[in-house]
Amino acid sequence: MELSFSYPELKDLVAGRKIAVAVSGGADSLLSMVLLKELGADVMAVHGCFLGSEKSALAVAGLELRCAEFGIDLHVLDFKAEFDKMVIEPFIKDYLKGDTPNPCAQCNPQIKFGVLYAAARSFGAELLGTGHYVRIVEHPEYGRMIARGADLGKDQSYFLSLVPREDVLNAVFPLGNHSKTETYSELKKRGLKIPLSSESQEICFVPDDDYRQFLIDRGVKLPGPGDVILSSGEKLGQHKGLWRYTHGQRKGLGIGWREPLYVIEKDLKRNLLILGTKEELGASGCIAEKVNFLVDFDKWPETVRIQTRYRQRSMSSKVRLDGDNLVFEFVEQHSMPTPGQIAAVYTEDGAVLGGGIIRKAL
């Protein structure tokens, strides 16, 4: 099914309206800001400082120049305390309880569409513009909702599945129908220098993507060693602390065996790292908690598409509501979902029904 825009032209929606664009200093948000200005919106730029790093200072310096070129007011806001409380502290707590958290699950609803969007509204903004590669569509069955971006290789709807419905539908995504290649092409055409030319795919606050060293440097009191066992109960050796391992991990286990072994479970109560073979990595379903409904659950189809990792295709699943949790029964063969990661739920045609945090695999 082809999903249509909920408005005939983006220009019709934004012309003359006050829109705050969340600008990071990267290519995507820069082009979004410029496109909205060209479409006749009354644009302001909002940059949140989350870490106080040299990279952030470089971003602000570049954004000041770009905004001056277009006559756009730039608001630079200090959200370091909020970011630490709402993103970094939950990240640490989740690792300590044995999960593998996705900090974007907290950052998007709490920070970008939370405190930053609230600040933008206090400045008079009606809508929030971002550089996400997602679309807002008018679905024939479910009405206005967000959907995958046209560039499926860059689509970021997975990360927005936890943003409350009212907030995400008050946002504007100018890049939803564009590809990353087109973004660079459009910036080059306009002669625009990107403040932060290199883009990291890693966790922004974890240097070199080494979360283990980050936790150590943070001074977190970390659990110590314990036994490594097979799923059958056979002891294989010692682990260095359960927080050092993630579900599905194969490399770096330090265990020799006749065939490759993977982390299939972490037993915090007994401080056990449980390993199994590749055949044991499958799952028949999972449970997701902290659910965000972008469409009321009673309107969901019985069979949905579920995506449990960013770089994974969505797969068919039955779904039911159990109290406040979603229970998925996989229709297709599925690798074991990782507790702490996002479970994003889609229609067959790529519109987002909602999302939750994976509590456990079944």
Side-chain angles (χ1 to χ4, degrees):
M1 182 184 297
E2 180 64 27
L3 295 175
S4 62
F5 272 101
S6 60
Y7 33 83
E9 299 288 344
L10 186 58
K11 184 174 182 179
D12 295 341
L13 175 72
V14 304
R17 301 183 73 179
K18 199 169 187 67
I19 300 178
V21 182
V23 288
S24 64
D28 302 328
S29 57
L30 177 62
L31 181 60
S32 292
M33 180 185 77
V34 173
L35 288 176
L36 289 170
K37 180 73 173 180
E38 292 175 351
L39 289 170
D42 181 5
V43 174
M44 71 172 79
V46 182
H47 175 78
C49 293
F50 306 137
L51 301 173
S53 63
E54 182 180 335
K55 186 176 180 181
S56 180
L58 184 64
V60 170
L63 286 169
E64 288 175 341
L65 293 174
R66 300 292 83 79
C67 288
E69 291 174 18
F70 288 88
I72 294 173
D73 290 335
L74 172 65
H75 299 271
V76 179
L77 305 173
D78 185 347
F79 290 132
K80 290 190 286 292
E82 291 87 346
F83 188 78
D84 194 277
K85 179 181 179 181
M86 297 177 179
V87 178
I88 296 179
E89 287 184 10
F91 175 87
I92 293 170
K93 289 177 182 177
D94 285 345
Y95 261 113
L96 292 180
K97 70 178 185 180
D99 291 348
T100 303
N102 187 323
C104 292
Q106 299 290 341
C107 186
N108 278 315
Q110 301 275 5
I111 302 295
K112 294 176 184 175
F113 288 83
V115 295
L116 186 144
Y117 192 9
R121 288 197 297 269
S122 74
F123 300 142
E126 300 176 63
L127 303 170
L128 180 71
T130 82
H132 288 98
Y133 289 83
V134 299
R135 296 180 295 156
I136 293 180
V137 300
E138 186 66 39
H139 194 280
E141 294 181 59
Y142 307 113
R144 194 164 181 262
M145 57 198 303
I146 63 168
R148 293 191 185 279
D151 182 352
L152 295 181
K154 185 61 178 174
D155 164 54
Q156 292 167 310
S157 60
Y158 177 79
F159 295 113
L160 297 188
S161 62
L162 300 183
V163 178
R165 185 185 334 190
E166 182 180 357
D167 294 332
V168 78
L169 292 182
N170 274 324
V172 181
F173 307 105
L175 306 187
N177 271 340
H178 295 276
S179 69
K180 187 73 174 187
T181 301
E182 289 171 329
T183 293
Y184 285 123
S185 176
E186 291 297 317
L187 288 171
K188 184 177 181 181
K189 186 189 303 182
R190 291 165 174 78
L192 289 171
K193 184 178 179 181
I194 307 166
L196 296 178
S197 56
S198 61
E199 297 190 19
S200 173
Q201 302 299 317
E202 301 168 350
I203 299 172
C204 65
F205 58 86
V206 177
D208 303 318
D209 204 28
D210 187 348
Y211 76 87
R212 299 172 181 86
Q213 191 60 48
F214 169 78
L215 293 174
I216 293 169
D217 293 343
R218 183 87 175 185
V220 179
K221 186 177 180 180
L222 300 164
D227 289 339
V228 178
I229 65 171
L230 285 175
S231 54
S232 62
E234 181 180 347
K235 183 177 176 180
L236 298 177
Q238 287 264 302
H239 64 74
K240 299 178 181 179
L242 293 180
W243 57 276
R244 293 179 177 272
Y245 306 88
T246 61
H247 289 77
Q249 179 180 336
R250 174 185 171 186
K251 296 182 179 179
L253 299 178
I255 299 293
W257 191 247
R258 56 179 175 264
E259 59 181 304
L261 293 175
Y262 302 80
V263 175
I264 60 172
E265 190 177 346
K266 295 189 285 185
D267 186 331
L268 269 68
K269 289 184 178 179
R270 296 186 293 166
N271 197 24
L272 295 176
L273 183 68
I274 303 172
L275 307 183
T277 62
K278 189 173 183 179
E279 289 70 28
E280 295 176 88
L281 275 179
S284 60
C286 69
I287 297 175
E289 60 186 2
K290 300 178 181 177
V291 180
N292 178 55
F293 294 104
L294 293 173
V295 172
D296 293 341
F297 184 76
D298 59 9
K299 297 179 182 178
W300 285 23
E302 183 182 351
T303 301
V304 297
R305 305 285 298 184
I306 179 176
Q307 184 174 337
T308 58
R309 294 184 180 87
Y310 176 47
R311 294 298 183 186
Q312 175 196 62
R313 73 177 183 89
S314 64
M315 299 183 182
S316 294
S317 178
K318 302 287 186 181
V319 61
R320 60 184 172 86
L321 193 60
D322 183 10
D324 294 331
N325 298 330
L326 291 175
V327 180
F328 297 94
E329 180 185 338
F330 300 147
V331 175
E332 302 177 68
Q333 186 176 3
H334 200 295
S335 59
M336 184 178 292
T338 302
Q341 293 290 297
I342 301 170
V345 189
Y346 295 84
T347 62
E348 288 289 341
D349 42 20
V352 189
L353 293 163
I357 303 296
I358 298 167
R359 189 175 77 191
K360 68 176 182 178
L362 299 175

